[in-house]
Amino acid sequence: QGQLVESGGGLVQPGGSLRLSCAAYGFTIDYYAIKWFRQAPGKEREGVACNSPIDERTVYRDSVKGRSTISRDNSKNTVYLQINSLKPEDTAVYYCAADYDGYCLGELSDYEYWGQGTQVTVSS
C-alpha cells in the first residue's frame, strides 16, 4: 500500500510560520482527498484542513482559518500546509491523511493512508 511522509515541523516562536509537507509514495494523490490532522498531548486527533480534488472544496478549522493554506503540487505528489501567526495552542503532532473517495469527510476511518506525523512546537 501507499504511504505518506510529513516533514517541516519544528520549534518556532509565537507569531512565526511553518510550511509542512506531506509527500506521497506508492500512489498518486491527484484524486485523493488530503486532510491535515493534529493531536496535542492528552487530546483527541482533530482536523485542521482538507482539500478535495473532486468537488474542489477546501475547508479549514475555525481556529486556523485566515492564517492557514492547504495546497497541493501534483507534479511533486506532495501536499502542503502553511500556517502563519502560530500560537502556543497550535502545538501538536501534525499528520496528513488520504481518502481514496476524493471527498473531505469527518470520520478518521475514512482515510486509508496516514503519515507518521511531524512535531510542531510553538513556544517562546
Side-chain angles (χ1 to χ4, degrees):
Q1 292 187 331
Q3 58 182 295
L4 301 169
V5 180
E6 302 96 334
S7 62
L11 174 64
V12 296
Q13 292 187 320
S17 299
L18 284 174
R19 188 175 79 155
L20 309 181
S21 297
C22 173
Y25 300 90
F27 72 102
T28 300
I29 67 170
D30 298 46
Y31 299 103
Y32 284 76
I34 305 295
K35 189 169 184 176
W36 286 92
F37 295 84
R38 66 186 182 188
Q39 188 166 22
K43 300 288 188 178
E44 294 186 353
R45 195 165 298 186
E46 63 183 22
V48 179
C50 185
N51 172 256
S52 168
I54 305 301
D55 59 14
E56 300 183 11
R57 291 189 64 190
T58 299
V59 296
Y60 299 93
R61 173 174 210 89
D62 284 345
S63 62
V64 304
K65 195 174 300 181
R67 59 188 182 96
S68 297
T69 302
I70 185 172
S71 61
R72 64 173 72 204
D73 186 341
N74 288 342
S75 69
K76 297 181 179 179
N77 214 29
T78 299
V79 175
Y80 304 96
L81 179 66
Q82 175 78 30
I83 310 179
N84 302 319
S85 302
L86 283 159
K87 306 173 182 180
E89 51 263 44
D90 293 319
T91 296
V93 177
Y94 284 70
Y95 302 87
C96 61
D99 186 355
Y100 179 72
D101 72 14
Y103 294 96
C104 293
L105 302 174
E107 299 291 336
L108 293 174
S109 61
D110 292 328
Y111 295 88
E112 289 91 357
Y113 303 128
W114 288 83
Q116 83 293 336
T118 185
Q119 176 71 49
V120 172
T121 302
V122 184
S123 176
S124 59

